Each structure stands twice: as C-alpha cells, then as structure tokens.
Amino acid sequence: MLTPGTTSRPPEPGTLLAFDFGTRRIGVALGNRVVRVAHPLTTIEIEANAQRFAAIAALIDEWRPERLLVGRPVHMDGAMHEMTARADRFARQLEGRFGVPVTQVDERCTTQAAQAMLGEAGGAGRAGRSQRDAVAAQLMLQSYFDAAIEPLDNL
C-alpha cells in the first residue's frame, strides 16, 4: 500500500481522480483527460481520518493519477460556508500527503443532480446514498473536462 508522501510508480498519463468531499462520505470518480470521460469509482464511507487517508492512498497507488480534483462547495451565489473550509483543508492535505497536484473545482448542484439521475434510474433512497456521492464526483469531473476549451495535455 502507498504510504503518504511516497509513490510506488510514476503517474499514469491522463488519469485523474476526483473527490466529492463530505464529513460522512467521500465520493470518488475516475477520468482520463485524453478521452475526457469520467466514471463513478467508489465511495469512501469511513469517518476516521487515518482510515480515510489509507483508503485514498490505496486508490492513488492503484490508479496512479497525475492530478486530483476536489469539489469546492459554495452557496449558489458563490459565498463560502463551513464545508468550503473543510474541503479546502482536505485538498491541502491530499497534496501534502501524496505529492500529487490538486485542483479545486466548483461542485454546486452536483449532489442534487446525482440524486436526480439515480432517482430516474431507480437507484434513489438509502441504498443509493453511496452511489450518489461517487456519481456527484463523476459529474464534477465530467464538468471539468467539458469546460476545458484547450486540450488538457498541459495540466
């Protein structure tokens, strides 16, 4: 397993991991900047910080991303709130622990959009919560890819 601050192999070109940070769950998505497609990967449902970062370390070791994205929650008018500061701290911790560049992206409405998508597909309710956070991370990452006007070769 990857220990914080080390990498066992070089990054996989084009691979990005995105995190939809929450105090109870962290949704994770995987994408590739070459094909610009994001997929829900998993949801980390661990509240203990050390175990959370161990799970993240395992994902980083498995997928070897060249960059991490962290959703930055803000109010609809762009104003920050308590979760904004927590997500900012999480982003700094990821970069400091793993040495992988981190970009923060706007995540307004991703959780609601993910919930609506899952509801339409029959995956709403209690069982869908875990999927919801991974799908929210997917939507955030896909939005990042879709917003890029220039090729993402020079992240």
Side-chain angles (χ1 to χ4, degrees):
M1 180 169 66
L2 181 71
T3 57
T6 65
T7 57
S8 60
R9 299 170 289 179
E12 184 66 36
T15 301
L16 282 76
L17 283 177
F19 297 91
D20 179 40
F21 174 78
T23 56
R24 293 186 181 159
R25 290 178 298 278
I26 300 173
V28 185
L30 174 69
N32 184 285
R33 66 177 167 76
V34 176
V35 295
R36 295 182 184 212
V37 175
H39 303 279
L41 185 60
T42 190
T43 300
I44 299 169
E45 298 190 60
I46 305 167
E47 291 189 43
N49 227 16
Q51 293 172 324
R52 276 183 158 193
F53 280 105
I56 292 168
L59 291 171
I60 290 172
D61 189 44
E62 178 180 358
W63 295 102
R64 302 181 345 248
E66 66 180 22
R67 177 169 302 275
L68 306 175
L69 297 183
V70 174
R72 191 164 196 264
V74 292
H75 290 293
M76 288 306 292
D77 65 0
M80 295 187 295
H81 52 79
E82 179 188 348
M83 284 304 291
T84 309
R86 287 180 173 206
D88 290 350
R89 182 171 184 250
F90 176 69
R92 287 189 307 271
Q93 288 175 320
L94 285 177
E95 192 159 17
R97 287 175 187 242
F98 303 111
V100 179
V102 174
T103 299
Q104 288 187 264
V105 295
D106 189 335
E107 69 164 34
R108 278 180 270 194
C109 301
T110 56
T111 300
Q112 294 85 352
Q115 187 67 41
M117 284 176 60
L118 289 169
E120 291 172 13
R126 178 168 272 183
R129 285 184 187 153
S130 178
Q131 291 177 328
R132 179 192 65 200
D133 296 309
V135 171
Q138 174 197 12
L139 293 173
M140 178 183 60
L141 180 54
Q142 191 63 56
S143 176
Y144 176 80
F145 288 147
D146 293 347
I149 296 169
E150 297 293 321
L152 296 172
D153 293 336
N154 297 320
L155 288 175

